Structures are given as structure tokens and as C-alpha cells.
């Protein structure tokens, strides 16, 4: 049995297996074909933070695969009132076939997984957002961009950045990260990613100058400056990130026909300008839709591992 907590635990081949299942599932859906690959299965979804895409894509995806999803907010279950994580994991995994968790500290999901009898999927922690990166890689491939990509990430060194680092390290593409001073990526995660990158030939570089990161990029991406849980720091972050907005001027530094990705939700006028969101809306909303297909691929893949 496998869990999906970070991309670090997956090989390039395994990531491609998941993506390939997703590609077939997307094709089938377009043709109106629904294969009940997870018939009678139940996915428990524990949300300790808000969500639009993650909730809708997992719940819809599970239904389309013939299963059922339960939305469990921490306001409704005893976890939010102090029931131990291990007890919660033992109980839920004795009744459900898979669990998806969105939470704060990454150690919470690790402890849950250690006590779970069924696969646990990371739907975002403070440190990582790996399901988003499955959708992002599917999107890159659909637009003909693969391991030759040069990805520029401009903004906060956060959960999205860390997951981009592991994706680049595993798949072998170049990632250039520009963050303001004081908002850099976690140094331990960087060390780990650089170790993995040695094997794939990926290059991961960190800097403080957005222009430097963007020049030569085939993909430019960013994320909110204040993640969930950092609402109190919003004003101070807006000041610290001055000059980091992706606008036409910055996008023009990238290669011709460079694409722009955003995991959403986007804050227009902060990390990205209105015009960039408008110009690149086709790929951005396809990226969002790909959450559905990529996660269906992931759930089918995890189920197959269990049955091996
Ligand atoms: N990108 C993403 O995970 O969106 P939600 O927070 O809406 O789930
Ligand atoms: N970094 C953001 C991602 C949202 C999908 C957050 O954690 O809020």
C-alpha cells in the first residue's frame, strides 16, 4: 500500500504512470465514458483549511469513478475537538478505502498515514501541495512542454514552491525560483531536492531577482503571497513582495510563447496582474480542470498498488 504525501516518495516512472492514467480518464470523460474503477469505495476528505478546487475535484472524481466521498471539516469531526490523530486515523481507515487530508503541519498527515490502513493523500499542507503539481505536469505535457521546460517560480517560498522543487528534481527540468529576502524556500527541502536533482539532471536555482529567474523561462508561475494560515501577515507581505508581481513587463522577459500557470486562487493586482490572468486564462482554467483528471488518475493508481 502507498500513500501520496510528497512527490519525493515517487519515481519519475510512477509519476508518469499516474499521469498516463489521468490522460486516459480525461479522454474517456470527454467521450462520455465513465469507468467505475473505484466502485463502492469511499474517500474520506478531512479539511482543516478552505478549498474550492480540491474539494470539488476529489468529490466529483470519486463519484465519477463509482465511489463516494465524505466531506469532513474539522468543525464537524472530533479531530477538531482534540481527539488524537492516531485514533481518528484508525477509525476512519477501518471504514473508508482512501483518505484525503488538507491541513496545517505536514507532520499531522505523516502521523495520520502511519496509523492508517488505507492510502492517505496530501490535499495540501503548510509544506507541500503535491496533487496540484500532478495537474500542473499534466497541463505542461498537454501544451507540449516536458523535461526540456525552464520553469520560473516568482513569489513566496511556500508549499507550492516546495512541490515544484520535487517535481523538477524528479522529472529532470530546470526550475528557477525568485523570492524576496526572508521568504526563501526551506533550506532542508532545497537540500533534498538538489540531491534528487543530481540523479535526473534537473537544475534548481534560487535567487532574489524575478527578472533573472524569468529570462529564458518557457513557463512562468506564481502563487499567493499570503497562504492559508498567514492572513495576519497579509499587509506586511504585500510590502515585502513589491516588484514581484507577474505582469506584461516581466512576462516579456520570458521566451516567446512562454506559458503562465497559477494553481489558483489568484489575487489580481498582487502576485499577478489582471492582464496576465486574462491573456493566459485558457491554460490556467485547463490547469484547474486537470485537478479532476490527475486526482482520478492518482486514486486509481493508489488502488492498483493495494491490489498488487
Ligand atoms: N489550488 C487549490 O488547491 O485550490 P483550492 O484551495 O481551491 O482547493
Ligand atoms: N500556497 C497556497 C496554495 C493554495 C492552493 C496556500 O497554502 O494557501
Amino acid at each position: 500500500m502507498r500513500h501520496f504525501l510528497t512527490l519525493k516518495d515517487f519515481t519519475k516512472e510512477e509519476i508518469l504512470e499516474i499521469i498516463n492514467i489521468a490522460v486516459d480518464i480525461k479522454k474517456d470523460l470527454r467521450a462520455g465514458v465513465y469507468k467505475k474503477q473505484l466502485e463502492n469505495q469511499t474517500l474520506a476528505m478531512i479539511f482543516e483549511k478552505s478549498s474550492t478546487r480540491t474539494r470539488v475535484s476529489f468529490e466529483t472524481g470519486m463519484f465519477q469513478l463509482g465511489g463516494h466521498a465524505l466531506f469532513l471539516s474539522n468543525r464537524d469531526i472530533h479531530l477538531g475537538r482534540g481527539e488524537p490523530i492516531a485514533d481518528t486515523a484508525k477509525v476512519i481507515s477501518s471504514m473508508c478505502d482512501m483518505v484525503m487530508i488538507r491541513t496545517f503541519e505536514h507532520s499531522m498527515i505523516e502521523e495520520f498515514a502511519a496509523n492508517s490502513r488505507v492510502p492517505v493523500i496530501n490535499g495540501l499542507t503548510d509544506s507541500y501541495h503535491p496533487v496540484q503539481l500532478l495537474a500542473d505536469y499534466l497541463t505542461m505535457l498537454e501544451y507540449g512542454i516536458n523535461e526540456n521546460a525552464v520553469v520560473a517560480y516568482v513569489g513566496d517560498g511556500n508549499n507550492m514552491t516546495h512541490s515544484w522543487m520535487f517535481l523538477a528534481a524528479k522529472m529532470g527540468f530546470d526550475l528557477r525560483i525568485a523570492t524576496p529576502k526572508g521568504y526563501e524556500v526551506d533550506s532542508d527541502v532545497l537540500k533534498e531536492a538538489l540531491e534528487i536533482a543530481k540523479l535526473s539532471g534537473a537544475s534548481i536555482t534560487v535567487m532574489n531577482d524575478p527578472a533573472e529567474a524569468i529570462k529564458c523561462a518557457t513557463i512562468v508561475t506564481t502563487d499567493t503571497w499570503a497562504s492559508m494560515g498567514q492572513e495576519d501577515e497579509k499587509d506586511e507581505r504585500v510590502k515585502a513582495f513589491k516588484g514581484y508581481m507577474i505582469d506584461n513587463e516581466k512576462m516579456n522577459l520570458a521566451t516567446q510563447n512562454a506559458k503562465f500557470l497559477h494553481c489558483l486562487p489568484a489575487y489580481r493586482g498582487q502576485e499577478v496582474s489582471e492582464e496576465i490572468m486574462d491573456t493566459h486564462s485558457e491554460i490556467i482554467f485547463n490547469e484547474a480542470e486537470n485537478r479532476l483528471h490527475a486526482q482520478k488518475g492518482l486514486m486509481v493508481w493508489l488502488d492498483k498498488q493495494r491490489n498488487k
Side-chain angles (χ1 to χ4, degrees):
M1 185 189 77
R2 296 283 294 277
H3 300 296
F4 187 77
L5 305 188
T6 76
L7 289 169
K8 174 175 69 177
D9 315 321
F10 285 75
T11 63
K12 176 177 183 173
E13 290 67 35
E14 287 171 338
I15 294 169
L16 288 173
E17 276 170 28
I18 296 168
I19 298 282
N20 286 337
I21 301 173
V23 168
D24 288 344
I25 283 177
K26 184 169 182 176
K27 235 183 266 158
D28 280 349
L29 188 72
R30 291 276 189 271
V33 177
Y34 294 83
K35 293 190 186 130
K36 306 286 180 208
Q37 299 182 79
L38 298 181
E39 195 159 28
N40 296 333
Q41 294 203 26
T42 302
L43 171 75
M45 307 187 299
I46 300 176
F47 279 95
E48 299 199 289
K49 289 175 174 172
S50 309
S51 167
T52 300
R53 282 142 288 268
T54 305
R55 177 180 178 181
V56 174
S57 53
F58 270 110
E59 192 163 333
T60 302
M62 198 56 187
F63 173 75
Q64 291 175 349
L65 290 166
H68 175 73
L70 289 118
F71 174 73
L72 306 169
S73 104
N74 62 336
R75 282 184 294 277
D76 306 316
I77 58 174
H78 285 283
L79 187 66
R81 300 179 58 242
E83 183 167 12
I85 295 166
D87 291 1
T88 309
K90 284 174 193 154
V91 172
I92 291 181
S93 70
S94 73
M95 300 182 200
C96 298
D97 303 282
M98 246 176 244
V99 184
M100 187 243 70
I101 303 176
R102 168 166 285 197
T103 189
F104 292 86
E105 285 182 17
H106 192 71
S107 57
M108 180 275 181
I109 203 166
E110 287 176 332
E111 186 179 346
F112 194 108
N115 289 281
S116 171
R117 288 161 41 177
V118 300
V120 175
I121 299 171
N122 180 355
L124 182 147
T125 63
D126 288 345
S127 308
Y128 304 104
H129 195 7
V131 284
Q132 178 68 51
L133 272 294
L134 286 181
D136 291 359
Y137 200 64
L138 171 59
T139 310
M140 285 167 63
L141 294 180
E142 286 177 339
Y143 288 79
I145 307 165
N146 51 20
E147 48 259 46
N148 302 323
V150 179
V151 177
Y153 176 97
V154 174
D156 187 24
N158 64 11
N159 45 10
M160 277 300 296
T161 332
H162 294 157
S163 287
W164 270 111
M165 285 155 66
F166 283 137
L167 184 75
K170 291 286 176 174
M171 307 318 278
F173 60 80
D174 290 359
L175 177 63
R176 306 167 63 76
I177 300 166
T179 62
K181 287 209 169 72
Y183 295 91
E184 284 93 353
V185 298
D186 183 281
S187 56
D188 291 334
V189 177
L190 179 60
K191 239 182 261 162
E192 280 183 292
L194 288 174
E195 267 314 302
I196 301 170
K198 279 185 198 159
L199 305 171
S200 68
S203 133
I204 300 172
T205 36
V206 292
M207 57 202 86
N208 300 116
D209 179 5
E212 179 64 24
I214 295 172
K215 80 174 182 221
C216 313
T218 51
I219 293 185
V220 178
T221 187
T222 183
D223 183 23
T224 180
W225 292 339
S227 286
M228 289 179 276
Q230 297 172 332
E231 288 77 9
D232 293 351
E233 299 171 28
K234 212 165 181 174
D235 294 344
E236 129 202 5
R237 281 172 172 267
V238 167
K239 280 188 210 135
F241 284 79
K242 197 169 178 294
Y244 281 75
M245 185 201 292
I246 306 295
D247 54 13
N248 278 341
E249 199 187 312
K250 289 217 190 52
M251 205 61 202
N252 287 339
L253 300 171
T255 55
Q256 222 186 349
N257 299 323
K259 308 288 181 220
F260 175 78
L261 293 177
H262 196 307
C263 65
L264 304 178
Y267 297 86
R268 292 165 175 80
Q270 293 191 19
E271 78 274 8
V272 59
S273 70
E274 182 98 47
E275 348 165 269
I276 291 293
M277 287 300 290
D278 289 345
T279 314
H280 296 269
S281 69
E282 199 257 345
I283 189 165
I284 294 167
F285 290 103
N286 185 42
E287 176 190 5
E289 183 197 314
N290 279 340
R291 293 290 304 277
L292 172 69
H293 313 300
Q295 290 158 197
K296 284 168 77 181
L298 171 64
M299 290 191 286
V300 168
W301 187 89
L302 288 171
D303 185 53
K304 279 192 182 146
Q305 301 308 304
R306 175 167 46 196
N307 297 330
K308 258 184 182 169

